[in-house]
Structures are given as structure tokens and as C-alpha cells.
Amino acid sequence: MTLTGRKPTLAAIARLTGVSTPTVSKVVNGREDVAAETRAKVLAALEEAGYQSPGQRRTTARTGVVEAAFDSINSNYASSVLDGILAQAASAGVEVVLSVTANVSSRSLDLERRAQRTVDEDRSGIIVVTSALTASHLAAFQRRRVPVVVIDPLNPPPSDVVSVGATNWAGGKAAAEHLLDLGHRRIAYLGGPDSAECNQARLHGYLSALMSRGVEVDPELIRNGRFRVEHGVEGLTALLALDERPTAIFAGSDSIAVGVLREARRRGIHVPEELSLVGFDGTALAEDSVPALTSVAQPLHDMGRTALRTLLRQARGEELDSHRVELATQLVVRESTAPVPTLATTP
């Protein structure tokens, strides 16, 4: 039996595949309670018949509203990315709905409902920014053919999910090389979450720079946590407890660097005279801190614009050149770095 010349209804798909109409409906709506073999058979029949659910037809028919999901919006990083998304949205004539996904990964029962809501509310797609949404969450969107673009994912996305980021490895290497050029050899790294792709790339860039100069990597100088001020405070406290303290710190974000500055000031440690410091992101925090932070600047505004442009291309059904977009970083030297102290090797 084939569906040639027929309108591909759910009942027709059910008859073709030998399953019930409710089962076909579950597959169409991305429900999990369907056997993998049955799901594959129904999906193949749906694709061959050219069937689209009402939600899918609405999504492909218009690109009027997109969702931007942030883990948190209380940071200069998030504000800069959001500015880029909104600027591109204004140019494209679309609206942006903002949502916060903090701790959503712990509410696994909401996974399918959240994805279906995106379809029901007629979103053209979703931009996920440094969020803890897992591969399972992203797969729920994919099952509904909801376009997704991820910016700096905290969890590695599936290979077929589009992601936008910066040249984090090159930025990490540039930060460490700058400190090495100033004569530092005890260089610490205070980074973000271990699992975050952007953090891993920055860390590996830092390691590459040290190893290429023949500098031994001390595991005690590498401490990962969160991209938050508190990690800078706690990280510096731990580093100062070492028998041989670092003379420089590369912080994986400007927020971490500000935490280092805060704790250094409290302890009477002068930056950069006694301790050099490099941040990452190039946000207003870096410019406004005292002293002004040397930082690896990400093109955060452009990352937001690129993410929305790419999302709208997906929503229009256009073919993408790549599923990974990386924009260039740039080291901006300011006041927080100086040559290693000549009369002492520790602050």
C-alpha cells in the first residue's frame, strides 16, 4: 500500500505502517513512549508521504517570533549577546521572546512539554545561549523540526545542531603567550565548568602556549568552576595557599577576573605590580575595572547577530554551509598585566 495521490493523514500513515493512529500521533508530537523500531518505521513513512504536523507547517511558513534561552541574564556576557540578537531581529523584522533556563536540566519531566510549547506558541526557532540544556533537550526540539542554534554550549551539542562561538583555543593561547612574553612562568588558569566546550578550548590553548615554550604544566595551577565572580575569589584564595604561588593568572572569563581583583585588593596584593591578570570576553567589566583588565575580547554582539541570522535561514529551509561558526577573538592589552617582578617570583 502506498499513499500516491492521497492526502497524507495520520490514519493513512497508520494503515500503511500497521500501527494505531494514536501511535502515529505520538511520533508526530515527539513523544518518548514509542518503541525505537516503530518510531523509525513511522518517521520513514511520514517523510515519504511529505507529512508535516500543523505546528511544523506554522514554523516553516513564518519567521516572526524566535525564542532566546539564557542560563542567566545577570552578566555582561549575556547582555552583549542579547544586544546582538535584538539588533539583528530589528533588521529582520522579527520579535524575540526571552526565557531563562537555569536548572532546567534537573526537570527532565518538562523536556517534551517544553519543546512542544515552542511549537504550540508558533516560535520560528530557539537560540540557546550558554545554557545547560542537554543533548536530550535539543533532540526534543529536533523531533519537532524546531530550528535550534546554540551559542557557547555548556554541554557538547549533537553534531547536527548548529553552534556559534569564538576562536576560544586561539584566544586562550594568545592570553598565555602574552604573559609568557612578559617573563611569567608560574601562570595559573581559573576556568569555567569542566564540561563546557568553550572552557576546554581556552584551557587547551593555554596549555599549548606553555608546552610550546617548554614551561612545565603544574596541575595545581589549573582550577575549573563557574564563570562567576565567586570562582575568582575562591580560586585566588586557593592559589595563594600553594607553597609556590603564581605570578600571573589567566581567568576564563571577565567575571572570574573581577573576582580575582576583588580578593587581591582585600589581601593588599597589587595588580599588576605583584600579580598579572588576563580575563576573557572583552565585556564592559574589563574596561571599567580598576585597573582596567587585559582581556581576550569575543565578538559577543556579532555572535548574537550571527546566531539569529543562522536560525532564520534554517526556519526558511535554506541549506547551511556549516554546523559550526567561529568568530575571531582579539587580545586587548590594558593595565592589569606587567613584566614578572624581578626581585621576587611570588606576590
Side-chain angles (χ1 to χ4, degrees):
M1 176 182 176
T2 65
L3 296 176
T4 304
R6 300 186 183 188
K7 183 178 179 179
T9 64
L10 295 186
I13 296 294
R15 288 193 297 272
L16 176 64
T17 55
V19 302
S20 67
T21 300
T23 297
V24 176
S25 178
K26 289 181 179 180
V27 173
V28 167
N29 289 306
R31 292 270 298 275
E32 294 281 3
D33 51 340
V34 179
E37 184 178 346
T38 301
R39 180 189 300 279
K41 181 168 59 174
V42 172
L43 286 174
L46 289 167
E47 184 174 354
E48 182 180 352
Y51 179 86
Q52 284 188 311
S53 71
Q56 290 166 347
R57 289 194 291 272
R58 287 197 303 271
T59 299
T60 55
R62 56 176 293 209
T63 53
V65 182
V66 301
E67 181 176 348
F70 288 75
D71 184 55
S72 169
I73 56 173
N74 297 322
S75 69
N76 280 263
Y77 172 97
S79 298
S80 298
V81 172
L82 181 57
D83 282 346
I85 293 173
L86 294 175
Q88 187 60 35
S91 299
V94 301
E95 297 179 11
V96 176
V97 175
L98 182 63
S99 64
V100 178
T101 62
N103 299 322
V104 71
S105 60
S106 66
R107 302 195 301 271
S108 58
L109 294 178
D110 292 343
L111 186 155
E112 295 294 337
R113 185 160 54 249
R114 175 177 173 79
Q116 186 60 40
R117 187 193 68 191
T118 304
V119 174
D120 294 341
E121 293 180 350
D122 211 13
R123 306 283 192 254
S124 301
I126 180 170
I127 298 173
V128 181
V129 187
T130 58
S131 171
L133 289 179
T134 65
S136 295
H137 284 93
L138 298 177
F141 289 109
Q142 288 183 300
R143 283 194 291 274
R144 291 161 175 80
R145 301 183 186 177
V146 176
V148 177
V149 173
V150 182
I151 298 179
D152 273 349
L154 295 185
N155 298 304
S159 59
D160 55 348
V161 171
V162 178
S163 62
V164 174
T167 52
N168 290 294
W169 184 89
K173 188 169 185 286
E177 285 179 339
H178 171 63
L179 294 169
L180 288 165
D181 289 343
L182 291 172
H184 296 278
R185 293 298 179 268
R186 291 284 293 173
I187 303 171
Y189 177 70
L190 296 180
D194 255 329
S195 62
E197 284 196 330
C198 56
N199 179 68
Q200 285 297 314
R202 292 166 199 174
L203 171 60
H204 290 158
Y206 151 90
L207 293 173
S208 175
L210 266 60
M211 290 186 289
S212 68
R213 300 286 185 93
V215 176
E216 183 178 354
V217 177
D218 184 350
E220 287 193 313
L221 295 180
I222 300 172
R223 297 177 182 270
N224 291 315
R226 300 185 68 197
F227 293 121
R228 297 287 186 269
V229 171
E230 294 76 18
H231 180 46
V233 173
E234 295 163 359
L236 179 59
T237 300
L239 291 171
L240 294 178
L242 297 176
D243 291 336
E244 188 178 358
R245 301 172 177 180
T247 62
I249 295 175
F250 167 35
S253 74
D254 289 343
S255 295
I256 295 174
V258 166
V260 172
L261 278 177
R262 180 183 298 176
E263 184 63 13
R265 187 177 299 115
R266 191 185 73 81
R267 290 172 175 266
I269 298 172
H270 298 97
V271 175
E273 294 84 359
E274 297 174 278
L275 178 69
S276 283
L277 178 63
V278 178
F280 202 107
D281 287 335
T283 61
L285 275 177
E287 297 180 45
D288 297 340
S289 66
V290 180
L293 271 174
T294 294
S295 181
V296 178
Q298 295 193 80
L300 299 175
H301 191 272
D302 288 343
M303 285 161 60
R305 296 191 72 121
T306 299
L308 184 58
R309 270 198 305 268
T310 305
L311 186 77
L312 294 179
R313 288 187 61 193
Q314 287 188 81
R316 291 191 294 263
E318 297 180 20
E319 190 73 24
L320 301 179
D321 298 328
S322 172
H323 281 77
R324 173 65 180 171
V325 180
E326 287 194 350
L327 305 180
T329 54
Q330 180 182 6
L331 178 70
V332 180
V333 179
R334 296 191 179 93
E335 301 169 358
S336 65
T337 50
V340 64
T342 55
L343 298 179
T345 58
T346 60

